[in-house]
Structure formats: structure tokens, C-alpha cells
Coordinates of all heavy atoms in Angstrom, one line a residue:
M242 N 146.4 -16.4 -65.3 CA 146.9 -17.2 -64.2 C 148.3 -16.8 -64.0 O 149.1 -16.6 -65.0 CB 146.7 -18.7 -64.6 CG 147.8 -19.6 -64.4 SD 147.7 -21.2 -65.3 CE 146.5 -22.0 -64.3
K243 N 148.7 -16.7 -62.8 CA 150.1 -16.3 -62.5 C 150.8 -17.5 -62.0 O 150.4 -18.3 -61.1 CB 150.1 -15.2 -61.4 CG 151.3 -14.3 -61.5 CD 151.1 -13.0 -60.7 CE 151.9 -11.9 -61.2 NZ 151.7 -10.7 -60.5
K244 N 152.0 -17.8 -62.6 CA 152.8 -18.9 -62.2 C 154.3 -18.5 -62.0 O 154.8 -17.6 -62.7 CB 152.8 -20.0 -63.3 CG 151.5 -20.8 -63.3 CD 151.5 -21.9 -62.3 CE 150.2 -22.7 -62.3 NZ 150.1 -23.6 -61.2
V245 N 154.9 -19.2 -61.1 CA 156.4 -18.9 -60.9 C 157.1 -20.1 -61.4 O 156.8 -21.3 -61.1 CB 156.7 -18.8 -59.4 CG1 158.2 -18.7 -59.2 CG2 156.0 -17.5 -58.8
I246 N 158.1 -19.8 -62.3 CA 158.9 -20.9 -62.9 C 160.3 -20.7 -62.4 O 160.9 -19.6 -62.4 CB 158.9 -20.8 -64.5 CG1 157.5 -20.9 -65.0 CG2 159.8 -21.9 -65.1 CD1 157.4 -20.5 -66.5
N247 N 160.9 -21.8 -61.9 CA 162.3 -21.7 -61.4 C 163.2 -21.9 -62.7 O 163.0 -22.8 -63.4 CB 162.6 -22.9 -60.5 CG 161.9 -22.7 -59.1 OD1 162.1 -21.6 -58.5 ND2 161.2 -23.6 -58.7
V248 N 164.1 -21.0 -62.8 CA 165.0 -21.0 -64.0 C 166.4 -21.3 -63.5 O 166.9 -20.6 -62.6 CB 164.9 -19.7 -64.8 CG1 165.8 -19.7 -66.0 CG2 163.5 -19.3 -65.1
V249 N 167.0 -22.3 -64.1 CA 168.3 -22.7 -63.7 C 169.4 -22.2 -64.7 O 169.2 -22.4 -65.9 CB 168.5 -24.2 -63.6 CG1 169.9 -24.6 -63.1 CG2 167.4 -24.7 -62.6
G250 N 170.4 -21.5 -64.3 CA 171.5 -21.2 -65.2 C 171.6 -19.7 -65.6 O 172.5 -19.4 -66.4
M251 N 170.7 -18.9 -65.1 CA 170.8 -17.5 -65.4 C 172.0 -16.9 -64.6 O 172.1 -17.1 -63.4 CB 169.6 -16.7 -65.1 CG 168.4 -17.0 -65.9 SD 167.0 -15.9 -65.7 CE 166.6 -16.2 -64.0
S252 N 172.9 -16.1 -65.3 CA 174.0 -15.6 -64.6 C 174.2 -14.1 -64.7 O 175.0 -13.5 -64.0 CB 175.3 -16.3 -65.1 OG 175.4 -16.1 -66.5
C253 N 173.5 -13.4 -65.6 CA 173.7 -12.0 -65.7 C 172.4 -11.3 -66.3 O 171.4 -12.0 -66.6 CB 174.9 -11.7 -66.5 SG 174.6 -12.0 -68.3
G254 N 172.5 -10.0 -66.5 CA 171.4 -9.3 -67.0 C 171.0 -9.7 -68.4 O 169.8 -9.6 -68.8
H255 N 171.9 -10.2 -69.2 CA 171.6 -10.6 -70.6 C 170.7 -11.9 -70.5 O 169.8 -12.0 -71.3 CB 172.9 -11.0 -71.4 CG 173.6 -9.7 -71.7 ND1 174.9 -9.5 -71.2 CD2 173.3 -8.7 -72.5 CE1 175.3 -8.3 -71.7 NE2 174.4 -7.8 -72.5
C256 N 171.0 -12.8 -69.6 CA 170.2 -14.0 -69.4 C 168.8 -13.6 -69.0 O 167.8 -14.1 -69.5 CB 170.7 -14.9 -68.3 SG 172.4 -15.4 -68.6
V257 N 168.7 -12.6 -68.1 CA 167.4 -12.1 -67.6 C 166.6 -11.6 -68.8 O 165.4 -11.9 -68.9 CB 167.6 -11.1 -66.5 CG1 166.2 -10.4 -66.2 CG2 168.2 -11.7 -65.2
K258 N 167.2 -10.7 -69.6 CA 166.6 -10.1 -70.7 C 166.1 -11.2 -71.7 O 165.0 -11.1 -72.3 CB 167.5 -9.1 -71.4 CG 166.8 -8.3 -72.4 CD 167.7 -7.2 -73.0 CE 166.9 -6.2 -73.9 NZ 166.1 -6.9 -74.8
A259 N 167.0 -12.2 -72.0 CA 166.7 -13.2 -72.9 C 165.4 -14.0 -72.5 O 164.5 -14.2 -73.3 CB 167.8 -14.2 -73.1
V260 N 165.4 -14.3 -71.2 CA 164.2 -15.0 -70.7 C 163.0 -14.1 -70.7 O 161.9 -14.5 -71.1 CB 164.5 -15.6 -69.2 CG1 163.2 -16.1 -68.6 CG2 165.6 -16.6 -69.2
H261 N 163.2 -12.9 -70.3 CA 162.0 -12.0 -70.2 C 161.4 -11.8 -71.6 O 160.2 -11.8 -71.8 CB 162.5 -10.6 -69.6 CG 161.4 -9.6 -69.6 ND1 161.2 -8.8 -70.6 CD2 160.6 -9.3 -68.6 CE1 160.1 -8.0 -70.3 NE2 159.8 -8.3 -69.1
D262 N 162.3 -11.5 -72.6 CA 161.8 -11.2 -73.9 C 161.2 -12.4 -74.6 O 160.1 -12.3 -75.2 CB 163.0 -10.7 -74.8 CG 163.5 -9.3 -74.4 OD1 162.8 -8.7 -73.5 OD2 164.5 -8.9 -74.9
A263 N 161.8 -13.6 -74.4 CA 161.2 -14.8 -75.0 C 159.8 -15.1 -74.5 O 158.9 -15.4 -75.2 CB 162.1 -16.0 -74.7
L264 N 159.6 -14.9 -73.1 CA 158.3 -15.2 -72.6 C 157.3 -14.1 -72.9 O 156.2 -14.3 -73.2 CB 158.4 -15.3 -71.0 CG 159.2 -16.4 -70.5 CD1 159.3 -16.4 -69.0 CD2 158.6 -17.8 -70.9
S265 N 157.8 -12.8 -73.0 CA 156.9 -11.7 -73.3 C 156.4 -11.8 -74.7 O 155.3 -11.4 -75.0 CB 157.7 -10.4 -73.2 OG 158.1 -10.2 -71.9
N266 N 157.2 -12.4 -75.6 CA 156.8 -12.5 -77.0 C 155.7 -13.6 -77.3 O 155.2 -13.7 -78.3 CB 158.0 -12.8 -77.9 CG 158.8 -11.5 -78.0 OD1 158.3 -10.4 -77.9 ND2 160.1 -11.7 -78.3
K267 N 155.5 -14.5 -76.3 CA 154.5 -15.5 -76.5 C 153.1 -14.9 -76.4 O 152.7 -14.1 -75.6 CB 154.6 -16.6 -75.4 CG 155.9 -17.3 -75.3 CD 156.1 -18.2 -76.6 CE 155.3 -19.5 -76.5 NZ 155.7 -20.4 -77.6
V268 N 152.2 -15.4 -77.3 CA 150.8 -15.0 -77.4 C 150.1 -15.4 -76.1 O 150.3 -16.6 -75.7 CB 150.1 -15.6 -78.6 CG1 148.6 -15.3 -78.5 CG2 150.7 -15.0 -79.9
G269 N 149.4 -14.5 -75.4 CA 148.7 -14.9 -74.2 C 149.4 -14.5 -72.9 O 148.8 -14.6 -71.9
V270 N 150.7 -14.1 -73.1 CA 151.4 -13.7 -71.9 C 151.2 -12.2 -71.7 O 151.4 -11.4 -72.6 CB 152.9 -14.0 -72.0 CG1 153.7 -13.4 -70.9 CG2 153.2 -15.5 -72.1
S271 N 150.7 -11.8 -70.5 CA 150.4 -10.4 -70.2 C 151.5 -9.7 -69.4 O 151.7 -8.5 -69.6 CB 149.1 -10.2 -69.6 OG 149.0 -11.0 -68.4
S272 N 152.2 -10.4 -68.6 CA 153.3 -9.8 -67.9 C 154.4 -10.8 -67.4 O 154.1 -12.0 -67.2 CB 152.8 -9.0 -66.7 OG 152.8 -9.8 -65.5
V273 N 155.6 -10.4 -67.4 CA 156.7 -11.2 -67.0 C 157.7 -10.5 -66.1 O 158.0 -9.3 -66.4 CB 157.6 -11.7 -68.3 CG1 158.7 -12.6 -67.8 CG2 156.7 -12.3 -69.3
E274 N 158.0 -11.1 -65.0 CA 159.0 -10.5 -64.1 C 160.1 -11.6 -63.9 O 159.8 -12.7 -63.4 CB 158.4 -10.1 -62.8 CG 157.9 -8.7 -62.9 CD 157.3 -8.2 -61.5 OE1 158.0 -8.3 -60.5 OE2 156.1 -7.9 -61.5
V275 N 161.3 -11.3 -64.2 CA 162.4 -12.2 -64.0 C 163.3 -11.7 -62.9 O 163.7 -10.6 -62.9 CB 163.2 -12.5 -65.3 CG1 164.3 -13.5 -65.1 CG2 162.3 -12.9 -66.4
D276 N 163.6 -12.6 -61.9 CA 164.4 -12.2 -60.8 C 165.7 -13.1 -60.8 O 165.7 -14.3 -60.6 CB 163.7 -12.4 -59.5 CG 164.4 -11.8 -58.3 OD1 165.6 -12.1 -58.1 OD2 163.8 -11.1 -57.5
L277 N 166.8 -12.4 -61.1 CA 168.1 -13.1 -61.2 C 168.6 -13.7 -59.9 O 169.1 -14.9 -59.8 CB 169.2 -12.1 -61.7 CG 170.6 -12.6 -61.9 CD1 170.6 -13.8 -62.9 CD2 171.5 -11.5 -62.4
E278 N 168.4 -13.0 -58.8 CA 168.8 -13.5 -57.5 C 168.0 -14.7 -57.0 O 168.6 -15.7 -56.4 CB 168.8 -12.4 -56.4 CG 170.0 -11.5 -56.6 CD 169.9 -10.4 -55.5 OE1 169.3 -10.5 -54.5 OE2 170.6 -9.3 -55.8
K279 N 166.7 -14.7 -57.3 CA 165.9 -15.8 -56.8 C 165.8 -16.9 -57.9 O 165.2 -17.9 -57.6 CB 164.5 -15.3 -56.5 CG 164.4 -14.3 -55.3 CD 162.9 -13.9 -55.1 CE 162.8 -12.8 -54.0 NZ 161.6 -12.0 -54.2
N280 N 166.3 -16.6 -59.1 CA 166.3 -17.5 -60.2 C 164.9 -18.0 -60.5 O 164.6 -19.1 -60.7 CB 167.1 -18.8 -59.9 CG 168.6 -18.5 -60.0 OD1 169.1 -18.1 -61.0 ND2 169.3 -18.6 -58.8
I281 N 164.0 -17.0 -60.6 CA 162.6 -17.2 -61.0 C 162.1 -16.3 -62.1 O 162.6 -15.2 -62.3 CB 161.7 -17.1 -59.8 CG1 161.8 -15.7 -59.2 CG2 161.9 -18.2 -58.8 CD1 160.6 -15.3 -58.2
A282 N 161.1 -16.8 -62.8 CA 160.4 -16.0 -63.8 C 158.9 -16.1 -63.3 O 158.4 -17.2 -63.2 CB 160.5 -16.5 -65.2
E283 N 158.3 -14.9 -63.0 CA 156.9 -14.9 -62.6 C 156.2 -14.5 -63.9 O 156.4 -13.4 -64.4 CB 156.8 -13.9 -61.5 CG 155.5 -14.1 -60.7 CD 155.4 -13.2 -59.5 OE1 155.1 -12.0 -59.7 OE2 155.8 -13.6 -58.4
V284 N 155.3 -15.3 -64.3 CA 154.6 -15.1 -65.6 C 153.1 -15.0 -65.4 O 152.5 -15.9 -64.7 CB 154.9 -16.2 -66.6 CG1 154.4 -15.8 -68.0 CG2 156.4 -16.5 -66.6
D285 N 152.5 -14.0 -65.9 CA 151.0 -13.9 -65.9 C 150.5 -14.2 -67.3 O 150.9 -13.5 -68.2 CB 150.6 -12.5 -65.4 CG 149.2 -12.4 -64.9 OD1 148.5 -13.5 -65.0 OD2 148.8 -11.4 -64.4
F286 N 149.7 -15.2 -67.4 CA 149.3 -15.6 -68.8 C 147.9 -16.1 -68.8 O 147.3 -16.5 -67.8 CB 150.3 -16.6 -69.4 CG 150.4 -17.9 -68.6 CD1 149.6 -19.0 -69.0 CD2 151.1 -18.1 -67.4 CE1 149.7 -20.3 -68.3 CE2 151.2 -19.2 -66.7 CZ 150.5 -20.3 -67.2
D287 N 147.4 -16.1 -70.1 CA 146.0 -16.6 -70.3 C 146.2 -18.1 -70.7 O 146.6 -18.4 -71.8 CB 145.4 -15.8 -71.5 CG 144.0 -16.3 -71.8 OD1 143.6 -17.4 -71.4 OD2 143.3 -15.5 -72.5
E288 N 145.7 -18.9 -69.8 CA 145.9 -20.4 -70.0 C 145.1 -21.0 -71.2 O 145.3 -22.1 -71.5 CB 145.7 -21.2 -68.7 CG 144.3 -21.2 -68.2 CD 144.1 -20.0 -67.2 OE1 144.7 -19.0 -67.3 OE2 143.3 -20.2 -66.3
T289 N 144.2 -20.2 -71.7 CA 143.5 -20.7 -72.9 C 144.3 -20.4 -74.2 O 144.0 -20.9 -75.2 CB 142.1 -20.0 -73.1 OG1 142.3 -18.6 -73.3 CG2 141.2 -20.2 -71.8
K290 N 145.3 -19.6 -74.1 CA 146.1 -19.2 -75.2 C 147.5 -19.9 -75.2 O 148.1 -20.1 -76.3 CB 146.3 -17.7 -75.3 CG 144.9 -17.1 -75.6 CD 145.1 -15.6 -76.0 CE 143.8 -14.9 -76.3 NZ 143.7 -13.6 -75.8
V291 N 148.0 -20.1 -74.0 CA 149.4 -20.7 -73.9 C 149.5 -21.5 -72.6 O 148.8 -21.2 -71.6 CB 150.5 -19.5 -73.9 CG1 150.4 -18.7 -72.7 CG2 151.9 -20.1 -74.1
T292 N 150.2 -22.6 -72.7 CA 150.3 -23.5 -71.5 C 151.6 -23.2 -70.8 O 152.6 -22.7 -71.3 CB 150.3 -24.9 -71.9 OG1 151.4 -25.2 -72.7 CG2 149.0 -25.3 -72.7
L293 N 151.6 -23.6 -69.5 CA 152.8 -23.5 -68.7 C 154.0 -24.3 -69.4 O 155.1 -23.9 -69.4 CB 152.5 -24.0 -67.3 CG 153.7 -23.9 -66.3 CD1 154.1 -22.5 -66.1 CD2 153.3 -24.5 -64.9
K294 N 153.6 -25.5 -69.9 CA 154.6 -26.3 -70.6 C 155.3 -25.6 -71.7 O 156.5 -25.6 -71.9 CB 153.9 -27.6 -71.0 CG 154.9 -28.6 -71.8 CD 154.5 -30.0 -71.4 CE 155.5 -31.0 -72.0 NZ 156.9 -30.6 -72.0
E295 N 154.5 -24.9 -72.5 CA 155.0 -24.1 -73.7 C 156.0 -23.0 -73.2 O 157.0 -22.8 -73.8 CB 153.9 -23.5 -74.5 CG 153.1 -24.5 -75.3 CD 152.0 -23.8 -76.1 OE1 151.0 -23.4 -75.4 OE2 152.1 -23.7 -77.3
L296 N 155.6 -22.4 -72.1 CA 156.5 -21.4 -71.5 C 157.8 -22.0 -71.0 O 158.9 -21.4 -71.3 CB 155.8 -20.6 -70.4 CG 154.5 -19.9 -70.8 CD1 153.8 -19.3 -69.5 CD2 154.7 -18.8 -71.8
K297 N 157.7 -23.1 -70.4 CA 158.9 -23.8 -69.9 C 159.8 -24.2 -71.1 O 161.0 -24.1 -71.1 CB 158.6 -25.0 -69.1 CG 158.0 -24.6 -67.7 CD 157.7 -25.9 -67.0 CE 157.3 -25.6 -65.5 NZ 156.9 -26.8 -64.8
N298 N 159.2 -24.7 -72.2 CA 159.9 -25.1 -73.4 C 160.7 -23.9 -74.0 O 161.8 -24.1 -74.4 CB 158.9 -25.7 -74.4 CG 158.5 -27.1 -74.1 OD1 159.0 -27.8 -73.2 ND2 157.4 -27.5 -74.7
E299 N 160.0 -22.8 -74.0 CA 160.6 -21.6 -74.5 C 161.9 -21.3 -73.7 O 162.9 -20.9 -74.3 CB 159.6 -20.4 -74.3 CG 159.9 -19.2 -75.2 CD 159.6 -19.5 -76.7 OE1 158.8 -20.4 -77.0 OE2 160.3 -18.8 -77.5
I300 N 161.8 -21.4 -72.4 CA 163.0 -21.1 -71.6 C 164.1 -22.1 -71.9 O 165.3 -21.8 -72.0 CB 162.7 -21.1 -70.1 CG1 161.7 -20.0 -69.8 CG2 163.9 -21.0 -69.2 CD1 161.1 -20.1 -68.4
E301 N 163.7 -23.4 -72.0 CA 164.7 -24.5 -72.3 C 165.4 -24.3 -73.7 O 166.5 -24.6 -73.8 CB 164.0 -25.8 -72.2 CG 163.8 -26.2 -70.7 CD 163.1 -27.6 -70.6 OE1 162.3 -27.9 -71.5 OE2 163.4 -28.3 -69.6
E302 N 164.6 -23.8 -74.6 CA 165.2 -23.5 -75.9 C 166.3 -22.5 -75.9 O 167.1 -22.5 -76.8 CB 164.1 -23.1 -76.9 CG 163.4 -24.3 -77.5 CD 162.2 -23.9 -78.5 OE1 162.3 -22.8 -79.0 OE2 161.3 -24.7 -78.6
L303 N 166.2 -21.6 -74.9 CA 167.3 -20.6 -74.7 C 168.5 -21.2 -74.1 O 169.6 -20.6 -74.0 CB 166.8 -19.5 -73.9 CG 165.7 -18.6 -74.4 CD1 165.2 -17.7 -73.3 CD2 166.1 -17.8 -75.6
G304 N 168.4 -22.5 -73.6 CA 169.6 -23.1 -73.0 C 169.6 -23.1 -71.5 O 170.5 -23.5 -70.8
F305 N 168.4 -22.7 -70.9 CA 168.4 -22.7 -69.4 C 167.5 -23.9 -69.0 O 166.8 -24.5 -69.8 CB 167.7 -21.4 -68.9 CG 168.4 -20.2 -69.3 CD1 167.9 -19.3 -70.3 CD2 169.6 -19.9 -68.7 CE1 168.6 -18.2 -70.7 CE2 170.3 -18.7 -69.1 CZ 169.8 -17.9 -70.1
G306 N 167.7 -24.2 -67.7 CA 166.9 -25.3 -67.2 C 165.7 -24.8 -66.4 O 165.6 -23.6 -66.0
V307 N 164.7 -25.6 -66.3 CA 163.5 -25.3 -65.5 C 163.2 -26.4 -64.5 O 163.3 -27.5 -64.8 CB 162.3 -25.0 -66.4 CG1 162.4 -23.7 -67.2 CG2 162.0 -26.2 -67.3
T308 N 162.8 -26.0 -63.3 CA 162.3 -26.9 -62.3 C 161.0 -26.5 -61.7 O 160.7 -25.3 -61.7 CB 163.4 -27.1 -61.2 OG1 163.5 -25.8 -60.5 CG2 164.7 -27.5 -61.7
D309 N 160.2 -27.5 -61.3 CA 158.9 -27.1 -60.7 C 159.1 -26.6 -59.3 O 159.9 -27.0 -58.6 CB 158.0 -28.4 -60.7 CG 157.5 -28.6 -62.1 OD1 156.9 -27.7 -62.7 OD2 157.5 -29.8 -62.6
K310 N 158.1 -25.7 -59.0 CA 158.1 -25.2 -57.6 C 157.0 -25.8 -56.9 O 155.9 -26.0 -57.5 CB 157.9 -23.6 -57.7 CG 158.1 -23.0 -56.4 CD 158.5 -21.5 -56.6 CE 159.4 -21.1 -55.4 NZ 160.1 -19.9 -55.7
Ligands
CU630 CU1 173.9 -14.0 -68.8

């Protein structure tokens, strides 16, 4: 399932990489695209292995905010 998560607080390439790597490392995630200008993370994941909430928590643990689209 593909979902777009709005990420608040990303300011540079390091932020993008941090979000990208954290999401990519989750079991069940098959692809991640993070867009700094649009402040979004587009995640393709297997919802039987990981939930959208878990993915959002992962982003929040890095210190960024998430909002629903
Ligand atoms: Cu940054």
C-alpha cells in the first residue's frame, strides 16, 4: 500500500536522508521517496507487516512532526 506522509521540520539533505533511512529500515517497507520541497515522504509498504502509525512514530522519534493528508 502506498501512502503519503506529511513531514514537518525537514530543512536539508541530512533530514531527508535521516527520514529516508529510518523508514527504509522498517520491516515491510519496500520503497521510500522523500521530497524536501513538498515536505512529504511517500512510502510503499506491506500493511500486514508494518502500520502507517508505526511509520509515523519512526519519523517523530527523529524529531520531526507528522500531519495527516
Ligand atoms: Cu537537515
Side-chain angles (χ1 to χ4, degrees):
M242 135 197 283
K243 211 165 205 180
K244 284 277 181 190
V245 174
I246 303 169
N247 289 309
V248 184
V249 181
M251 291 192 296
S252 58
C253 72
H255 290 111
C256 301
V257 170
K258 190 175 187 312
V260 171
H261 179 275
D262 290 354
L264 295 176
S265 297
N266 286 336
K267 296 294 279 187
V268 171
V270 173
S271 53
S272 88
V273 181
E274 274 180 54
V275 182
D276 191 310
L277 180 59
E278 282 178 22
K279 293 181 188 158
N280 289 298
I281 56 167
E283 198 173 84
V284 192
D285 201 352
F286 62 99
D287 180 343
E288 67 269 32
T289 64
K290 294 188 178 144
V291 66
T292 63
L293 182 61
K294 179 142 182 44
E295 285 177 290
L296 298 176
K297 286 179 174 177
N298 285 345
E299 197 70 27
I300 295 171
E301 285 179 327
E302 275 176 27
L303 294 170
F305 301 107
V307 290
T308 59
D309 281 312
K310 188 153 211 164

